[in-house]
Amino acid sequence: MKRIDYISELAKKCTGCMACVDACPVQCISSVIKEDGFRYSVLDESRCISCGKCYSVCPLELQEKHREEQHLYAAYASNPVLQNHGSSGGIFELLARYFLEQGYYVCGAAFEGTTLKHRIIDSVDSISPLLKSKYIQSDMEGIYTQIVERLKKGEKVFYCGTPCQVSAVKNSIPKSLEENLFTADIICHGVPSQKVFDDYIKTLEKESGGEVSDFSFRVKDNKYKHAHGYSYKVTKNGKAKIVNGIYTSSSFYNAFKNYLIFREGCYDCQYATLQRVSDITLADFWGIEKYDFKGNIDTGVSMVITNTQKGSEVFSFIKNKTVSKEFPVQYGVDSNHCLTHSTQKPKNRDSIIKELSDNGYEQTAKKYFGCSFVHKIYWLIPPKVRNLIRKMRGN
């Protein structure tokens, strides 16, 4: 019964990957949204046949991390259009295009309305929804089965997700099929729930009196020249308008940036380590201006870490379409804290999650998710002045 008890007692340690739901041959595991707003696995023990498949795919229990020589690059797409498409340097799109050309399917997170789900695509025309960061936990239920079915047919798949999701995908695939799977993970700070995001969207609709759609994080063409711009569309009385801003003017985005609404397990992440589970790790290269990198850093630079020989080979195939330079791996550790450390849990996080459940989003956001007046004014200052202030402060 150890394995059955393990699934039943995961409680808040559960990553919400839902691999066990797909793996169960008798469908006795389901996903439910609990009081904290996140999805968890629930087992119907009366139907369980004790096969242990749920245990065998769980990323908390099985973590096959690579020990091969790693290489780190600062890089961005040399095509400025592709660079602008991405949240940082546009490297994911280059990878996706390469794999599609090689006959792979590509799997990544995309919005369906304002709900985030992983989906599988097979054409360049379908790439766009998979691009850019989305600061919500994506729904993976059903994706594992789809990936395994394609691999069993001899087809190939490129998968991109958070490290725990990558681990769950790899655990779900027979060893004999691994050759046709390529994985990329992102350096993850933590994930808010879809429920909290849905409640945020409802507040926007209440304020605007219209329907909100096409929400986009990390919009680059914002007047504040800030990496965390956002936009969404409001449709009212048949007319649509685009609303733009930066995170300081969004309660949800500000809560994300201050780590207030992450899943409990994110604050003690077993995947926040230099040893990665994927072939390639992707992230923003924060602080690239401190290093000897000659290029256009104003529109975003990606950090690329190749973790396997397969990862190194693939990056070499797309490298001629990038502006890139190799740096010591330690530079990545120094510039991106979450490469090797879990996000520190705020002292008031549990109180916030409880208040979201008890009092609702609008009231909780007013109490906790605001941004200081000084901080808001700071982002109205011209970029050159902001840079001067940061230099004076030694940032």
Side-chain angles (χ1 to χ4, degrees):
M1 293 293 291
K2 176 186 175 184
R3 293 179 177 182
I4 305 309
D5 290 343
Y6 177 77
I7 290 295
S8 299
E9 296 173 5
L10 276 175
K12 291 185 178 180
K13 292 182 180 179
C14 175
T15 67
C17 71
M18 298 299 117
C20 57
V21 177
D22 276 22
C24 181
V26 294
Q27 291 80 51
C28 71
I29 303 175
S30 58
S31 65
V32 298
I33 299 175
K34 294 193 175 180
E35 288 184 354
D36 65 357
F38 290 95
R39 287 190 179 275
Y40 293 89
S41 302
V42 174
L43 175 71
D44 180 353
E45 294 192 34
S46 67
R47 298 167 56 200
C48 178
I49 60 174
S50 300
C51 67
K53 288 188 177 180
C54 53
Y55 181 91
S56 69
V57 300
C58 180
L60 286 176
E61 193 61 31
L62 298 174
Q63 305 167 47
E64 185 182 336
K65 295 174 182 175
H66 300 295
R67 296 293 190 273
E68 299 177 43
E69 182 180 3
Q70 294 172 298
H71 297 273
L72 180 143
Y73 302 87
Y76 62 82
S78 51
N79 182 332
V81 174
L82 299 189
Q83 183 188 15
N84 196 55
H85 282 172
S87 293
S88 48
I91 301 301
F92 171 77
E93 182 169 2
L94 286 178
L95 288 169
R97 286 173 175 269
Y98 167 78
F99 281 114
L100 289 168
E101 289 170 0
Q102 302 303 309
Y104 279 65
Y105 288 90
V106 173
C107 183
F111 277 116
E112 294 182 9
T114 54
T115 300
L116 190 65
K117 296 184 177 183
H118 261 71
R119 70 168 63 162
I120 296 175
I121 65 167
D122 61 2
S123 71
V124 171
D125 293 339
S126 303
I127 287 179
S128 183
L130 273 58
L131 305 180
K132 290 191 176 295
S133 301
K134 291 104 174 174
Y135 296 128
I136 317 160
Q137 182 161 37
S138 64
D139 183 355
M140 284 281 291
E141 198 168 329
I143 282 294
Y144 304 96
T145 301
Q146 294 179 45
I147 291 175
V148 171
E149 286 175 351
R150 282 169 170 76
L151 294 175
K152 283 183 175 179
K153 293 178 182 178
E155 297 168 339
K156 300 179 179 182
V157 177
F158 165 44
Y159 174 85
C160 183
T162 64
C164 57
Q165 290 175 333
V166 170
S167 183
V169 167
K170 292 177 68 176
N171 292 345
S172 300
I173 291 166
K175 293 290 184 182
S176 59
L177 302 178
E178 283 186 348
E179 184 61 30
N180 285 345
L181 175 72
F182 187 95
T183 59
D185 75 301
I186 58 173
I187 297 178
C188 178
H189 290 70
V191 289
S193 70
Q194 178 68 53
K195 183 181 183 305
V196 172
F197 185 69
D198 289 342
D199 291 343
Y200 166 61
I201 295 297
K202 289 175 184 175
T203 66
L204 295 179
E205 292 181 330
K206 181 180 176 181
E207 292 169 1
S208 65
E211 180 184 355
V212 171
S213 60
D214 299 342
F215 197 99
S216 180
F217 296 93
R218 301 294 298 275
V219 174
K220 289 181 176 179
D221 53 348
N222 64 84
K223 64 182 179 180
Y224 306 100
K225 303 297 181 184
H226 193 283
H228 285 280
Y230 68 89
S231 71
Y232 58 87
K233 182 168 70 174
V234 176
T235 304
K236 183 178 180 180
N237 299 325
K239 296 181 179 180
K241 71 172 183 177
I242 302 299
V243 177
N244 292 282
I246 56 173
Y247 83 91
T248 54
S249 57
S250 164
S251 59
F252 178 88
Y253 213 151
N254 198 50
F256 170 84
K257 286 280 288 174
N258 286 286
Y259 316 140
L260 299 175
I261 51 174
F262 293 168
R263 194 178 187 101
E264 177 68 29
C266 296
Y267 300 108
D268 186 24
C269 178
Q270 300 175 52
Y271 291 91
T273 171
L274 191 56
Q275 286 72 46
R276 312 301 288 184
V277 293
S278 66
D279 295 300
I280 280 183
T281 296
L282 301 174
D284 294 278
F285 205 131
W286 302 118
I288 185 61
E289 65 275 3
K290 295 184 295 185
Y291 304 115
D292 181 25
F293 181 71
K294 295 178 174 61
N296 179 17
I297 66 173
D298 292 335
T299 49
V301 178
S302 296
M303 181 187 298
V304 181
I305 305 174
T306 60
N307 304 310
T308 64
Q309 180 62 34
K310 189 159 61 170
S312 292
E313 290 174 356
V314 167
F315 186 67
S316 71
F317 294 143
I318 68 165
K319 196 174 179 183
N320 66 336
K321 296 182 179 180
T322 70
V323 175
S324 61
K325 182 176 180 178
E326 184 170 2
F327 290 102
V329 174
Q330 184 61 42
Y331 282 25
V333 176
D334 295 341
S335 66
N336 201 314
H337 181 80
C338 286
L339 176 58
T340 53
H341 296 81
S342 299
T343 294
Q344 186 173 355
K345 182 178 176 180
K347 292 180 180 179
N348 59 351
R349 182 269 179 189
D350 292 346
S351 298
I352 289 171
I353 295 298
K354 187 176 189 309
E355 289 200 38
L356 283 166
S357 176
D358 294 346
N359 303 326
Y361 182 87
E362 189 172 4
Q363 184 173 327
T364 307
K366 287 179 180 177
K367 185 175 179 180
Y368 293 105
F369 301 164
C371 186
S372 72
F373 177 76
V374 172
H375 201 175
K376 286 184 177 181
I377 291 297
Y378 173 75
W379 287 109
L380 295 176
I381 298 171
K384 290 183 179 179
V385 179
R386 293 202 306 264
N387 291 335
L388 180 60
I389 292 172
R390 282 199 291 267
K391 286 181 180 179
M392 290 172 64
R393 294 177 59 188
N395 294 340

